[in-house]
Amino acid sequence: MTDSLGESAGARPEVAVRDLGGGVRSVAVPIPDNPLGYTLVYVMDTDRGPVLVDTGWDDPGSWDVLAAGLEACGTGVGEVHGVVITHHHPDHHGLSGRVREASGAWVAMHAADAAIVRRARETRPERWFTYMAAKLTAAGAPDEHVAPLRGGPRRSTPPGLAPALPDREILPGELLDLPGRRLRALWTPGHTPGHVCLHLEEEHPARLPGRGRLFSGDHLLPEITPHIGLYEDPDDATVTDPLGDYLDSLERVGRLAPAEVLPAHQHTFTDAPGRVRELLAHHEERLSGLLSLLQQPLTPWQLAVRMEWNRPWEQIPYGSRNIAVSEAEAHLRRLVKLGRAEAVAGSEPVTYVAV
């Protein structure tokens, strides 16, 4: 997400605002030090004032861009009526609390992600580091990777551990309370347990064929595949299947066939069913490739090291390696659930093999 929209000392931030028609605009809010560059925050006119879909990363520069972007849209932060969050990640939910403080706006989120927000706020960072160390050890991570999580001086609190609590719940299938608009929530778990897409059930302003427009968050992106990892409660042993959830959600979005997709990153696009087919094929190909790797027993860490990423494993930074292992585990769970792989009895740390 780094592509800091150029800014000189003391100058107003440069903003990228697009008028998408039909009372919808987008503001590209930068994400510091991340290759995605920015989050597309959508500004939707309603009869009670603008409503935002996501808010961007909690950073002073990002806040300045969001505020300037709203001014470019002919409004201001203080005028915001409500905030609808597609999912809890800090590049989407980070500035929600600050928007609410400035405007009195309500903040809405699906209950499953609201539970993660609540847990993050109530759990001390040391508990998270201990949990992560145990999870990585069980996944077969080497001692030198796990060591920084054990004892010694702690790094600063990771982003997302003090997010704003939402004050409204998004219910799947409901029309949100947006006077003058028809925005329906679609529960699309996978990228996070409570990820939602938002279907604007209004004729496309350019009369493109299809069923309205879809704010897709990170669920459906035009050129990249969202991360599918594990989101588990340290105190809950439930075995989830996030990749299975994601694939099921993709198929539902494909059947919806919106005229245009408004994602949280990159750019708007059409032909949602075509993009869904590409992603389903991608994941089937990836699962087949992992089965080839699993001709020999591998731990989740060993599998992650051998998987194809956007760069060689040696160039993947520390935090991203943890995300990669989580994604490898999500794929393993899917293969086990499908009966295509199984855990090797008695292995420690546990290894998996194709069947």
Side-chain angles (χ1 to χ4, degrees):
M1 314 184 189
T2 189
D3 180 66
S4 66
L5 305 170
E7 181 179 355
S8 58
R12 287 173 59 82
E14 182 181 335
V15 294
V17 174
R18 286 189 63 204
D19 187 342
L20 303 171
V24 177
R25 299 167 184 83
S26 66
V27 180
V29 177
I31 312 168
D33 303 320
N34 192 296
L36 270 178
Y38 53 84
T39 300
L40 290 171
V41 173
Y42 292 97
V43 184
M44 182 168 41
D45 295 340
T46 79
D47 292 346
R48 291 186 188 166
V51 168
L52 305 185
V53 176
D54 292 335
T55 58
W57 189 272
D58 185 7
D59 175 80
S62 303
W63 170 258
D64 290 344
V65 170
L66 177 61
L70 288 169
E71 289 184 18
C73 292
T75 184
V77 175
E79 303 301 314
V80 174
H81 173 59
V83 175
V84 185
I85 298 300
T86 61
H87 61 295
H88 74 87
H89 286 166
D91 55 322
H92 297 257
H93 181 46
L95 286 171
S96 301
R98 192 163 177 184
V99 170
R100 180 166 57 191
E101 289 171 9
S103 64
W106 47 260
V107 177
M109 181 183 289
H110 187 280
D113 272 21
I116 294 174
V117 168
R118 193 171 299 107
R119 189 162 67 238
R121 291 172 60 93
E122 294 172 354
T123 304
R124 294 192 310 171
E126 291 76 11
R127 175 74 174 93
W128 286 111
F129 285 120
T130 300
Y131 174 67
M132 289 167 58
K135 287 289 293 182
L136 286 164
T137 299
D143 287 342
E144 59 268 22
H145 183 87
V146 180
L149 298 170
R150 298 191 183 116
R154 295 298 190 191
R155 287 168 285 180
S156 59
T157 300
L161 287 189
L165 278 173
D167 42 62
R168 289 193 182 185
E169 181 180 338
I170 297 175
L171 298 174
E174 76 166 349
L175 276 174
L176 276 70
D177 182 19
L178 305 182
R181 310 305 302 239
R182 287 187 60 86
L183 188 70
R184 192 176 301 277
L186 306 176
W187 183 33
T188 51
H191 183 58
T192 71
H195 191 291
V196 293
C197 292
L198 302 154
H199 186 208
L200 191 57
E201 297 179 339
E202 302 168 10
E203 185 178 32
H204 191 280
R207 299 181 182 271
L208 296 180
R211 301 177 59 193
R213 291 185 280 181
L214 185 74
F215 298 101
S216 65
D218 282 359
H219 183 70
L220 191 61
L221 300 167
E223 299 168 7
I224 56 179
T225 305
H227 164 68
I228 308 297
L230 304 182
Y231 281 91
E232 296 173 313
D233 185 337
D235 301 313
D236 186 352
T238 302
V239 178
T240 58
D241 179 20
L243 181 54
D245 293 339
Y246 177 67
L247 298 176
D248 289 344
S249 300
L250 269 183
E251 291 184 342
R252 286 192 286 109
V253 166
R255 290 193 294 269
L256 181 67
E260 187 176 28
V261 179
L262 282 57
H265 303 288
Q266 300 188 307
H267 54 81
T268 62
F269 63 100
T270 57
D271 192 17
R275 181 60 181 144
V276 165
R277 287 192 296 271
E278 290 176 357
L279 287 167
L280 292 173
H282 162 78
H283 281 287
E284 181 55 39
E285 182 179 344
R286 195 168 206 201
L287 289 170
S288 296
L290 297 189
L291 286 174
S292 298
L293 294 174
L294 291 170
Q295 295 307 305
Q296 59 174 319
L298 297 174
T299 66
W301 176 274
Q302 291 169 331
L303 183 62
V305 170
R306 291 163 173 77
M307 289 170 69
E308 289 189 18
W309 305 103
N310 59 3
R311 62 193 123 168
W313 183 259
E314 296 72 24
Q315 297 176 18
I316 297 178
Y318 181 91
S320 297
R321 289 187 179 191
N322 296 339
I323 293 172
V325 174
S326 179
E327 185 151 332
E329 290 193 273
H331 281 74
L332 281 169
R333 287 190 180 186
R334 186 67 190 150
L335 288 171
V336 169
K337 187 167 184 177
L338 292 171
R340 298 164 74 180
E342 64 183 10
V344 176
S347 57
E348 182 69 32
V350 63
T351 58
Y352 294 83
V353 66
V355 294

